Amino acid sequence: KNEVEQSPQNLTAQEGEFITINCSYSVGISALHWLQQHPGGGIVSLFMLSSGKKKHGRLIATINIQEKHSSLHITASHPRDSAVYICAVASNFGNEKLTFGTGTRLTIIP
Amino acid sequence: NAGVTQTPKFRILKIGQSMTLQCAQDMNHNYMYWYRQDPGMGLKLIYYSVGAGITDKGEVPNGYNVSRSTTEDFPLRLELAAPSQTSVYFCASSYSTAGIEQFFGPGTRLTVL
């Protein structure tokens, strides 16, 4: 079993829909990251969180430490949101390193 | 600021050849990382460095070497390239540990034939 599991692997939705991407992990963590990888390949950090909820524009990230689960939500989705969304965790031990999920490929259809 | 830069963007190597992937950052970050990304797999850590002169192995270090002579530069050396090293390589940096936001370079797509 991978330390970081994401679901779904692929998601196709219509423009305007509310999107949820899930991330579950099996180790104690000091922080969880959500990253976005565009079709061109570049990776950018969206959120880093260790508790609660963060919001940036139409993106919302939540984390439940007790349940070892995080969600990334996109409101009013747009075709430019089409990308791979990657969850990564920094464990409590040896936290110089991140463990990555395999990503969720999101496609928003106009 | 240029952020994290990587060269080259693309490279094709023959089996047994060697090459160095360059990575530089201008944010005065202490921590630097090399990852590889294979299709359908999560990013895997190859090597990392917590400061100039200090490097350590990650999850998949075999076949690679690194050095960190300056804060800015963190080159990755492939000796005796093998088809299994065909991948996309990303360099990243952060001010502090992995609990802090990491900034990624644009990646190097390497094919070994």
Side-chain angles (χ1 to χ4, degrees):
Chain A
K1 189 181 190 302
N2 292 331
E3 287 185 1
V4 181
E5 298 273 359
Q6 288 186 238
S7 63
Q9 284 188 308
N10 294 283
L11 178 57
T12 300
Q14 294 286 338
E15 183 174 356
E17 286 190 39
F18 181 82
I19 304 299
T20 296
I21 299 170
N22 297 300
C23 176
S24 297
Y25 53 91
S26 57
V27 298
I29 67 167
S30 60
L32 182 142
H33 299 246
W34 281 103
L35 307 159
Q36 181 190 55
Q37 184 171 26
H38 272 286
I43 299 173
V44 295
S45 179
L46 296 175
F47 295 102
M48 190 274 295
L49 64 166
S50 54
S51 65
K53 175 179 170 179
K54 286 191 175 180
K55 184 175 188 291
H56 184 241
R58 295 180 294 106
L59 273 61
I60 303 164
T62 64
I63 188 168
N64 185 319
I65 296 294
Q66 287 73 28
E67 294 186 3
K68 293 186 168 61
H69 181 269
S70 175
S71 293
L72 176 69
H73 306 287
I74 305 174
T75 62
S77 59
H78 190 276
R80 65 175 175 267
D81 297 325
S82 298
V84 176
Y85 293 84
I86 301 169
C87 172
V89 300
S91 69
N92 283 332
F93 304 99
N95 63 357
E96 293 84 8
K97 310 179 197 76
L98 290 178
T99 301
F100 293 81
T102 55
T104 294
R105 183 175 299 275
L106 174 66
T107 303
I108 303 298
I109 299 170
Chain B
N1 287 347
V4 180
T5 57
Q6 289 184 240
T7 55
K9 283 188 167 53
F10 304 93
R11 183 73 185 267
I12 297 174
L13 283 182
K14 293 183 179 178
I15 293 172
Q17 287 185 319
S18 300
M19 76 163 293
T20 299
L21 280 66
Q22 301 292 344
C23 174
Q25 52 90 11
D26 60 0
M27 297 173 282
N28 201 32
H29 285 170
N30 293 319
Y31 285 65
M32 295 188 75
Y33 312 83
W34 273 107
Y35 298 98
R36 60 177 286 169
Q37 185 179 41
D38 300 318
M41 307 287 287
L43 287 147
K44 302 289 186 187
L45 182 65
I46 305 171
Y47 271 95
Y48 68 103
S49 168
V50 301
I54 306 169
T55 62
D56 207 347
K57 295 178 180 178
E59 195 177 349
V60 289
N62 291 345
Y64 306 95
N65 277 300
V66 293
S67 59
R68 184 97 182 269
S69 57
T70 66
T71 299
E72 294 78 19
D73 300 297
F74 190 40
L76 177 73
R77 178 83 178 160
L78 279 72
E79 305 281 3
L80 299 174
S84 61
Q85 293 177 304
T86 294
S87 189
V88 181
Y89 292 84
F90 288 96
C91 178
S93 73
S94 64
Y95 177 71
S96 182
T97 68
I100 303 299
E101 179 183 6
Q102 292 191 11
F103 295 81
F104 286 79
T108 295
R109 185 174 295 274
L110 176 67
T111 302
V112 182
L113 300 174

